[in-house]
Amino acid sequence: MDVKSLCLGALSLKDASGYEIKKMFEEGPFSHFYDAGYGSIYPALNKLLADGFVTCTEIEQEGRPAKKVYSLTETGLSSLKEDLNKLPVLDKTRSESITMLFFGHLLSPKHREEILESYIDYFRNGCECIEGVDPTGQPAGRLFVRGLGLAVYEAAANYMEENKDLLLSIDEENDETEKQNNLLVETGDAA
Amino acid sequence: MDVKSLCLGALSLKDASGYEIKKMFEEGPFSHFYDAGYGSIYPALNKLLADGFVTCTEIEQEGRPAKKVYSLTETGLSSLKEDLNKLPVLDKTRSESITMLFFGHLLSPKHREEILESYIDYFRNGCECIEGVDPTGQPAGRLFVRGLGLAVYEAAANYMEENKDLLLSIDEENDETEKQNNLLVETGDAA
DNA sequence: TTGATTATATATCAAAACGATATATATCAA
DNA sequence: TTGATATATATCGTTTTGATATATAATCAA
């Protein structure tokens, strides 16, 4: 499922402009499991328009470019359903926060704490974000995904709050770290 | 933190070839929060070599191309520490499974169940993968990330198993779905 | 035993995606 | 009043991806 498919998915929820689709990905219903930038959204919309999967209505605005509102066509809905009927590829995740915590021993204690607290906040805010949307009348799939997100975010935040001492107790310059580093070197060379 | 930085990170754990680095991303310690393909790993290693961040030892092999083993230099370690000292960007996640479950009402019941059961298996297998590695002697950061992964994967699998009826009870063609779709259209147009 | 599959290795490249940038007014908070 | 943010349309250089190339070794199932 590429960015074009996801734009079709967004437009299956409601008609939207490129800017609004970006907001749906970034802050809206998709924000916890999908994102794409303007660099791919606008080309995708142009391609979908050329292929007849969407139609476009331009609304003149004062002091701004005309707003282009895209709507899903029947052809587009069929294409979306076809994509949804395939098997999903594995999740793709890239987390700089987890990567930095993984290398916690190479960070200063202050930086380590900063990243950890920010990451906890990220999940707490994510929960509030999800809870801030009234679930009444939402389709079952969306409710399910909402509940999944909450479960995962709460588990992550709870684990990190309960285990922060494990990470914050690292002494960057002590013998234990060096011993651990030497153990890693030895383990690596054993291969 | 781009692919070059992550290659430096991988080499901080042990010397490795491009192929081994890919395995570390795909199946090893990074597999739950970072991945990259050969298409970016080999160019990254070549750039790091040119920049003096790594050195390279070629080991001749019978019947195969020579194995190129890369090692981190002091310059490379400094560059890695510098990258780790920055603030992380937000996590980037792209999940086709969650996207498909989100649009559950557009799927057949059989396909919905297939995706759901596969996704539960993905997390259960992920837990077994993590638990299959002996944590003894691992640095605190790595232990912390290991625990976080377990907490998140278990929460996800548990939630989905406990709530699968919510998703599997969707009747694709019934009035409820149409009513929900109409509600969505009305909600969308209210904007 | 044999054929299929997977593992081990090095890579490249066309296509897709990203993030910064361009342009410019409206709105808001200090 | 000023700086930051929001609302809009986009593009483009850079990065990344996924398929592909090449080829033998090892493993596995029939």
Side-chain angles (χ1 to χ4, degrees), chain A residues 8 12 53 72-82, chain B residues 106:
Chain A
L8 292 178
S12 76
F53 293 163
L72 199 59
T73 61
E74 284 302 317
T75 313
L77 182 57
S78 296
S79 176
L80 174 62
K81 285 181 168 178
E82 194 177 317
Chain B
L106 296 179

Side-chain angles (χ1 to χ4, degrees), chain B residues 20-33:
Chain B
E20 286 165 344
I21 290 174
K22 167 67 170 165
K23 289 305 170 188
M24 289 170 79
F25 289 167
E26 197 173 61
E27 301 168 10
F30 297 91
S31 58
H32 311 292
F33 54 91

Side-chain angles (χ1 to χ4, degrees), chain A residues 123-176:
Chain A
F123 286 108
R124 289 302 178 205
N125 293 337
C127 286
E128 289 177 20
C129 217
I130 294 175
E131 285 166 333
V133 178
D134 181 4
T136 310
Q138 288 185 355
R142 195 163 166 174
L143 287 178
F144 185 86
V145 162
R146 175 183 193 272
L148 175 59
L150 278 173
V152 162
Y153 281 17
E154 280 167 11
N158 288 344
Y159 172 84
M160 289 192 285
E161 279 172 0
E162 287 159 19
N163 292 271
K164 61 173 63 174
D165 287 344
L166 196 160
L167 197 62
L168 299 187
S169 67
I170 295 172
D171 191 330
E172 187 186 12
E173 240 62 56
N174 71 3
D175 290 327
E176 191 63 28

Side-chain angles (χ1 to χ4, degrees), chain A residues 102-103 105-106 176-191, chain B residues 9-15 24 29 134-142:
Chain A
F102 181 88
F103 289 109
H105 56 293
L106 295 179
E176 191 63 28
T177 304
E178 281 192 54
K179 277 161 58 181
Q180 283 174 343
N181 286 340
N182 290 338
L183 179 63
L184 285 177
V185 171
E186 284 166 6
T187 304
D189 287 351
Chain B
L11 292 174
S12 77
L13 301 186
K14 61 174 180 173
D15 296 351
M24 289 170 79
D134 182 3
T136 312
Q138 288 185 353
R142 192 161 168 176

Side-chain angles (χ1 to χ4, degrees), chain A residues 44-66:
Chain A
L45 288 173
N46 287 329
K47 186 67 164 68
L48 293 171
L49 193 58
D51 289 344
F53 293 163
V54 303
T55 56
C56 177
T57 303
E58 290 196 33
I59 303 173
E60 293 299 325
Q61 296 191 118
E62 276 192 63
R64 284 175 183 167

